[in-house]
Amino acid sequence: MADSGRVKHTSPSESPHSGRKKAQQSPGSRTRYQVNAPGHCFRKVTLTKPTFCHHCSDFIWGLVGFLCEVCNFMSHEKCLKHVRTVCSCMTPTLVRVPVAHCFGPAGQKRRFCCVCRKHLEGSSALRCEVCELHVHSDCAPFSCSDCRLCHQDGTQDYDTKHHHHWREGNMASGARCEVCRRTCGSSDALSGMRCEWCGLTAHASCYITVRPECSMGRLHNMILHPGCVRICSRNFSKMHLFRICEDSQCELDNLDDVDSLTPVAAKDNQASQDTGKQTLKVFDGDDAVKRNQFRSVSIPRIIKNEEVVEAALRAFYLPDEPQDYELQVQGQPPALLTDDIINRNGTPDDKSVFKDNAPDAWLLRAKPRDSEVLKIYADWLKHGAAYGSITVGKESTVDWSIKEVLRQLDKQDENTENFNLVEVYMNSKQVQRQVLTGQELLLDKLQEIRKVSLRQMNQTRFYIVENRNRVVQVNLLLGGLPVQLSKAEYAGLLKTHLEIKDHLVTITQVYSTQGAVVLQISCFSEAERIFMLAKDSSVDGKQLTSLVIPQITTSKLPRGGCPLLVYVNPKSGGLKGRELLYNFRKILNPHQVFELTNGGPLAGLHTFSEVPHFRILVCGGDGTVGWVLGVLEAIRHKLACPEPAIGIIPLGTGNDLARVLRWGTGYSGEDPYSVLLSLDEAEEVEMDRWTILLDAQEMTEDGKENGFLEPPKIVHMNNYFGLGIDAELSLDFHQAREEEPGKFNSRFHNKGVYVKVGLQKLSHTRSLHKDIKLQVDKQDVELPSIEGLIFLNIPSWGSGADLWGSDSDSRYGKPRIDDNMLEVVGVTGVVHMGQVQGGLRSGIRIAQGTYIRITVTKPIPVQVDGEPWIQSPGQIIISAAGPKVRMLRKCKSKQKKQPSGAQKEGRSESPAPGEGAH
């Protein structure tokens, strides 16, 4: 392996220890070159396999490349002077507003790790549910809290101009640079930059010339702008804030722990037998020793002491100089190995050589310092862009540092008692804040952090914050309560089961038809207690649900905006529902994306209740669409936008409503970004909705109802209502799915079960026309000999079949979804239904009407929009259900041409195997 020179850069403006003395260089030292990107430590390597440059993404011709020993950045020699991408060890210096990530298991597409820049392979890969950060599980502790800022936290107000949120790599290989118009994406290396909001793409050397303000891109009208969302989040994790179900996450309890032996280290350990190397276990502080979490460092059998320290610093992604650190034998009294490694004659002495057969376990420590340069960031100047640098000594207190920083920031006239110094730990899993006391010694504080963990010190930042009273206002939505109770009755139930405190908790909204209330809580600890307790409580045998709800400040909504409320049913469409949930959280603001299995549709409608104009996207089957429409109808009077238009991504089996509205026969992995573009350009149409009263009673001449024991059952119908053989097949399918739900994850399997059930009914005969009486618009209708009776609101039935038929008939009008008419059709049996679905026949046209009355004389299977049950004898009345609903129909015309780089998803290319260096 060639190793003729090293390129290292430590920028005075970027390094946290820039004022420190540089390492002495002897005549035998390796040459250092000037590089513009901070943190990298390049060495010349001999390439053994096809390799691509991470700067220009071009193939490296020849056998020589330059590899960063810290983050594995690979570069041409000609590109070294143009590299602008900082090393992974410098990530904490680039964080603007610390926002923790929300890690979950990675998807199926191959990606590159944003920390070590290598391929993600196997089950240990993780991805953030909110931004485009992909990492190995053992690299996650070294990623920083640089996730997207999706809301204003409490009473804090960040920059009024929203900035781009740049993320490197993992984009489509055909993406083009917004500046130079050349290709900037790559499937062979982690290269190129992309804004996580607007989707703009650029080269790493070009994006710094792009204006910092982000326009939110082509989807700006439907994105819920972060500036208008407010939430008090202090005691809640990101999973709680974004309502991400905990069962969808992998076990990340040890995410902040460093894995004991990475696959790379294992390979190095195996190779050490052949190359004369040894592998050391290195701990970065007392916490790592206690947890037995270490990094493996592979070094030659004989090596200089300072080079061992430098290798240990690289393993922990620390950008500091090696002469400021020392190695101690773990578990023994301090045995420091930090003497100057080169004598004046240029040859190593005995004390400066790290010899063979050294102990396996070592502890990396920072040398004690008499003073230190500390950056303190100004919280009120937004985004942490401005800071003051002060030199703290042994006697420097927090009060003194506040006074000194205020002087540097031209606020020397301010009263220091109105400010606090806050320590912020920006690890990947959560952002931890601690207010320091006035007489606390800062140098002792820094040494204490480094003793616990050097990695933690590298991810810690200090802020000077105005000390003002902040109003605490946490909103919780509690569901699962009994329906149709008064506000006082709900308050009594909550007091009994959750012991809520009246002076801290107020019921601000009651949804009695849904059995839910909204609580406004003025204390963080009380909000956290109620949130957690509700998840483990039940009322009348029904489990309660608890969700943290954001507030939307409507006065800050962009003019002309129409944000999109997204519902996803992850149980529909197999794995496609879960992947859509991730994609929409990433493309849009995760506060506008709701998982229907976690609290149902009410949470989203309440969040958007004050928004004057919004649209809804439902990702699921026809049953899911009906669920959302039902809740919308129940609380419509409480919405500022009572008639939002609704679009569909079909994830069900039949998807008849989606077919009629041109959204397709079923979602099969189309680009989510393109789907959103189609939704933005879709046209609004009206659709009838019908109410079905089951077990309805006849009215007597005096206007009084006949006596009955139970009130009539009321259901709403959007697509169709069936009695007889059609409902019987649906019921058998439903029962089969209830017995083995895990097998019903694909449309192909579901349709196969339908066929199997239908074949079992071939010999089944039943004279349905003898068991029911039909009245349409108060006129008795004689039924032919049929086995099934179906009432159609839309011209699609049974996965796209045209049951009514296209033949013209002067007796009936052409069916439409907004004509206030139902089409009544009969089928003679399973064979007839199969012929209809095959396009060979149509059903038997019986009637059209606006008011239907059915008399059932025997128990009979019925189904409404695919939901079946056995109906007892009695009356069934079908009538119009109030106002029509607005639906979105996909336009036939082609989409508007989108600007280059605006497409955010669609990165379907799988990166090829990575580069190799020897």
Side-chain angles (χ1 to χ4, degrees):
M1 177 176 67
D3 192 2
S4 60
R6 177 175 298 151
V7 185
K8 187 168 182 179
H9 175 78
T10 319
S11 170
S13 62
E14 295 288 350
S15 172
H17 311 295
S18 57
R20 228 168 282 156
K21 179 183 176 182
K22 298 292 181 183
Q24 289 184 348
Q25 299 293 311
S26 70
S29 297
R30 286 170 288 191
T31 307
R32 293 174 183 256
Y33 303 96
Q34 183 65 32
V35 181
N36 289 320
H40 289 297
C41 186
F42 286 102
R43 61 184 173 91
K44 189 181 295 184
V45 295
T46 301
L47 306 177
T48 59
K49 62 177 68 173
T51 308
F52 293 83
C53 176
H54 292 191
H55 173 73
C56 66
S57 72
D58 289 339
F59 184 78
I60 300 180
W61 297 96
L63 300 178
V64 176
F66 286 81
L67 176 70
C68 175
E69 294 179 314
V70 181
C71 69
N72 299 306
F73 189 101
M74 179 64 72
S75 173
H76 290 102
E77 184 175 7
K78 65 179 182 179
C79 290
L80 277 178
K81 60 183 178 180
H82 302 294
V83 172
R84 296 292 185 274
T85 304
V86 301
C87 183
S88 298
C89 65
M90 300 300 294
T91 302
T93 66
L94 303 181
V95 175
R96 299 166 77 179
V97 178
V99 180
H101 294 288
C102 190
F103 284 116
Q108 301 298 318
K109 297 179 181 178
R110 299 183 65 190
R111 294 287 187 252
F112 291 95
C113 176
C114 292
V115 176
C116 72
R117 311 184 72 88
K118 296 182 179 179
H119 275 302
L120 296 176
E121 296 178 356
S123 59
S124 63
L126 305 173
R127 69 181 179 189
C128 177
E129 294 281 333
V130 179
C131 72
E132 191 68 10
L133 187 79
H134 291 76
V135 291
H136 295 101
S137 59
D138 59 312
C139 290
F142 301 100
S143 61
C144 209
S145 295
D146 61 344
C147 192
R148 287 194 298 163
L149 179 68
C150 298
H151 59 261
Q152 307 288 322
D153 194 351
T155 57
Q156 292 182 354
D157 286 312
Y158 299 109
D159 203 335
T160 54
K161 293 182 179 179
H162 197 71
H163 288 201
H164 291 292
H165 187 95
W166 296 105
R167 181 72 69 211
E168 184 183 11
N170 291 323
M171 67 180 75
S173 57
R176 291 194 173 274
C177 177
E178 188 71 15
V179 178
C180 67
R181 311 305 301 169
R182 296 174 57 196
T183 301
C184 61
S186 173
S187 59
D188 303 301
L190 188 72
S191 64
M193 307 294 290
R194 186 190 62 261
C195 173
E196 287 299 296
W197 285 108
C198 67
L200 186 146
T201 55
H203 291 101
S205 56
C206 294
Y207 88 101
I208 55 178
T209 65
V210 177
R211 292 187 60 181
E213 292 82 12
C214 180
S215 65
M216 294 291 177
R218 174 70 176 78
L219 303 177
H220 67 278
N221 281 332
M222 63 172 59
I223 291 179
L224 185 62
H225 197 283
C228 65
V229 184
R230 192 171 299 278
I231 191 168
C232 292
S233 62
R234 192 179 73 177
N235 286 23
F236 297 99
S237 69
K238 289 286 289 296
M239 288 173 56
H240 295 154
L241 298 182
F242 296 138
R243 304 162 303 280
I244 298 175
C245 286
E246 297 178 9
D247 57 0
S248 68
Q249 301 295 296
C250 58
E251 294 295 332
L252 302 176
D253 293 339
N254 296 322
L255 181 62
D256 292 323
D257 300 333
V258 185
D259 286 345
S260 57
L261 189 63
T262 66
V264 175
K267 293 178 183 178
D268 291 341
N269 191 23
Q270 182 179 5
S272 65
Q273 301 177 3
D274 304 325
T275 61
K277 290 188 175 183
Q278 58 182 324
T279 301
L280 306 179
K281 298 177 182 178
V282 180
F283 301 86
D284 77 325
D286 293 344
D287 185 63
V289 172
K290 181 173 67 175
R291 297 171 179 266
N292 194 32
Q293 301 292 339
F294 55 84
R295 296 286 283 178
S296 296
V297 179
S298 181
I299 59 173
R301 292 288 180 183
I302 298 180
I303 187 175
K304 300 170 185 176
N305 295 335
E306 189 169 278
E307 291 179 353
V308 181
V309 176
E310 188 176 8
L313 289 172
R314 291 197 297 267
F316 285 98
Y317 294 92
L318 299 176
D320 304 335
E321 294 296 332
Q323 72 269 13
D324 294 320
Y325 292 83
E326 57 198 14
L327 279 174
Q328 301 175 4
V329 179
Q330 199 273 321
Q332 297 183 13
L336 308 184
L337 301 172
T338 56
D339 296 336
D340 190 15
I341 62 174
I342 301 295
N343 63 21
R344 295 182 181 274
N345 295 325
T347 58
D349 55 31
D350 292 338
K351 293 182 180 180
S352 63
V353 175
F354 196 94
K355 295 185 178 180
D356 197 0
N357 300 321
D360 289 338
W362 295 83
L363 183 59
L364 184 63
R365 291 288 197 194
K367 285 184 181 179
R369 302 163 188 170
D370 295 331
S371 64
E372 192 164 345
V373 176
L374 181 66
K375 291 180 181 178
I376 298 181
Y377 291 80
D379 183 63
W380 64 84
L381 291 179
K382 320 298 183 190
H383 288 304
Y387 58 85
S389 293
I390 62 173
T391 302
V392 296
K394 294 182 177 181
E395 304 299 325
S396 301
T397 64
V398 170
D399 286 340
W400 171 86
S401 65
I402 291 176
K403 184 176 180 180
E404 184 66 17
V405 171
L406 287 175
R407 184 185 62 81
Q408 292 189 21
L409 298 176
D410 294 328
K411 285 183 173 283
Q412 57 270 18
D413 297 333
E414 298 282 350
N415 186 353
T416 58
E417 295 182 358
N418 295 331
F419 296 89
N420 288 328
L421 189 64
V422 180
E423 172 194 339
V424 179
Y425 177 31
M426 308 179 296
N427 75 10
S428 59
K429 194 174 182 181
Q430 57 185 331
V431 177
Q432 300 174 354
R433 293 176 172 85
Q434 178 184 357
V435 178
L436 303 182
T437 59
Q439 296 304 313
E440 194 167 354
L441 298 176
L442 277 179
L443 191 61
D444 291 347
K445 181 66 178 178
L446 298 178
Q447 292 173 353
E448 176 188 345
I449 297 174
R450 287 195 177 94
K451 186 177 180 182
V452 172
S453 171
L454 295 175
R455 171 172 56 91
Q456 179 177 336
M457 184 66 238
N458 194 44
Q459 296 177 344
T460 297
R461 180 180 289 177
F462 294 88
Y463 285 86
I464 183 170
V465 180
E466 290 183 75
N467 181 19
R468 60 178 184 270
N469 294 326
R470 302 182 186 273
V471 178
V472 177
Q473 185 175 309
V474 182
N475 294 312
L476 295 183
L477 175 67
L478 298 186
L481 297 166
V483 299
Q484 302 298 349
L485 298 183
S486 66
K487 184 175 181 179
E489 289 173 322
Y490 282 124
L493 278 177
L494 296 179
K495 208 161 200 177
T496 302
H497 291 84
L498 303 180
E499 299 179 354
I500 63 173
K501 300 177 176 60
D502 292 337
H503 65 288
L504 298 176
V505 182
T506 305
I507 298 179
T508 58
Q509 189 65 267
V510 173
Y511 296 101
S512 59
T513 59
Q514 307 300 311
V517 297
V518 178
L519 305 181
Q520 188 176 96
I521 307 171
S522 59
C523 173
F524 278 120
S525 58
E526 177 69 3
E528 185 180 27
R529 185 190 68 83
I530 294 175
F531 176 81
M532 300 306 296
L533 183 59
K535 287 181 173 293
D536 298 325
S537 302
S538 59
V539 177
D540 295 344
K542 188 175 181 181
Q543 180 68 42
L544 296 182
T545 60
S546 177
L547 295 174
V548 182
I549 300 297
Q551 289 181 294
I552 299 179
T553 307
T554 56
S555 60
K556 294 187 177 181
L557 286 170
R559 181 176 299 178
C562 184
L564 184 68
L565 171 58
V566 180
Y567 289 116
V568 181
N569 188 347
K571 292 184 178 180
S572 300
L575 297 177
K576 293 185 177 66
R578 179 65 60 188
E579 195 65 18
L580 272 175
L581 195 63
Y582 162 74
N583 280 317
F584 285 135
R585 284 194 182 117
K586 181 168 58 68
I587 296 174
L588 304 170
N589 189 327
H591 284 299
Q592 65 189 109
V593 182
F594 290 78
E595 188 173 350
L596 282 169
T597 54
N598 188 18
L602 180 61
L605 290 173
H606 172 76
T607 300
F608 277 64
S609 60
E610 301 297 328
V611 178
H613 303 287
F614 68 93
R615 286 179 164 185
I616 297 176
L617 174 63
V618 180
C619 307
D622 288 346
T624 303
V625 177
W627 184 15
V628 173
L629 286 173
V631 177
L632 174 62
E633 180 65 31
I635 69 166
R636 186 189 301 273
H637 60 286
K638 296 187 177 182
L639 301 180
C641 178
E643 297 181 358
I646 300 173
I648 305 172
I649 292 183
L651 297 182
T653 302
N655 303 314
D656 288 291
L657 182 56
R659 294 169 190 261
V660 171
L661 297 173
R662 302 178 188 152
W663 295 110
T665 60
Y667 179 74
S668 56
E670 292 85 1
D671 175 22
Y673 184 89
S674 298
V675 173
L676 291 177
L677 286 179
S678 298
L679 197 77
D680 189 41
E681 298 164 3
E683 59 179 340
E684 294 189 10
V685 296
E686 291 185 332
M687 184 181 76
D688 299 327
R689 200 155 182 265
W690 301 85
T691 298
I692 304 177
L693 274 71
L694 301 134
D695 301 326
Q697 302 297 310
E698 292 282 358
M699 301 293 289
T700 59
E701 292 182 359
D702 58 1
K704 295 182 178 180
E705 295 180 355
N706 293 327
F708 57 89
L709 298 177
E710 296 181 359
K713 179 180 179 181
I714 301 176
V715 296
H716 292 283
M717 184 260 285
N718 304 308
N719 298 354
Y720 35 71
F721 171 48
L723 301 91
I725 186 64
D726 167 51
E728 194 170 341
L729 294 181
S730 295
L731 184 61
D732 289 347
F733 174 83
H734 179 75
Q735 291 172 346
R737 183 166 56 182
E738 289 291 316
E739 292 174 0
E740 297 180 291
K743 293 184 177 181
F744 291 77
N745 289 328
S746 71
R747 298 187 191 94
F748 182 79
H749 177 270
N750 295 353
K751 291 179 180 178
V753 174
Y754 259 118
V755 172
K756 180 180 177 181
V757 170
L759 292 175
Q760 294 173 348
K761 305 290 183 182
L762 279 175
S763 59
H764 176 77
T765 58
R766 182 174 182 176
S767 300
L768 179 69
H769 61 285
K770 297 179 181 179
D771 300 330
I772 63 175
K773 295 180 181 179
L774 176 65
Q775 190 181 83
V776 178
D777 292 337
K778 299 183 179 182
Q779 298 292 324
D780 292 333
V781 177
E782 184 177 353
L783 293 175
S785 178
I786 56 175
E787 297 300 324
L789 188 64
I790 302 163
F791 302 86
L792 298 172
N793 183 44
I794 62 174
S796 179
W797 166 86
S799 301
D802 185 4
L803 188 60
W804 181 260
S806 57
D807 295 340
S808 59
D809 192 330
S810 58
R811 296 176 299 168
Y812 308 110
K814 184 177 179 180
R816 288 170 43 194
I817 63 175
D818 62 347
D819 58 359
N820 292 318
M821 301 281 283
L822 282 178
E823 285 69 48
V824 186
V825 189
V827 292
T828 59
V830 173
V831 174
H832 187 187
M833 292 169 60
Q835 292 172 332
V836 171
Q837 290 183 326
L840 302 176
R841 292 180 61 185
S842 58
I844 301 173
R845 297 179 181 178
I846 295 175
Q848 274 183 323
T850 60
Y851 182 83
I852 312 291
R853 181 184 294 273
I854 308 164
T855 304
V856 179
T857 60
K858 290 183 179 180
I860 188 173
V862 300
Q863 63 96 0
V864 176
D865 293 341
E867 298 296 325
W869 69 89
I870 299 294
Q871 179 62 31
S872 302
Q875 299 285 327
I876 301 175
I877 296 177
I878 310 175
S879 60
K884 302 177 189 294
V885 293
R886 294 178 182 269
M887 305 299 293
L888 291 172
R889 184 167 61 191
K890 188 176 181 180
C891 292
K892 291 183 178 180
S893 59
K894 294 184 69 175
Q895 295 176 6
K896 299 174 184 177
K897 187 175 180 181
Q898 58 191 16
S900 173
Q903 184 164 336
K904 189 162 184 181
E905 194 39 56
R907 299 178 291 275
S908 59
E909 293 80 3
S910 296
E915 66 280 349
H918 177 71

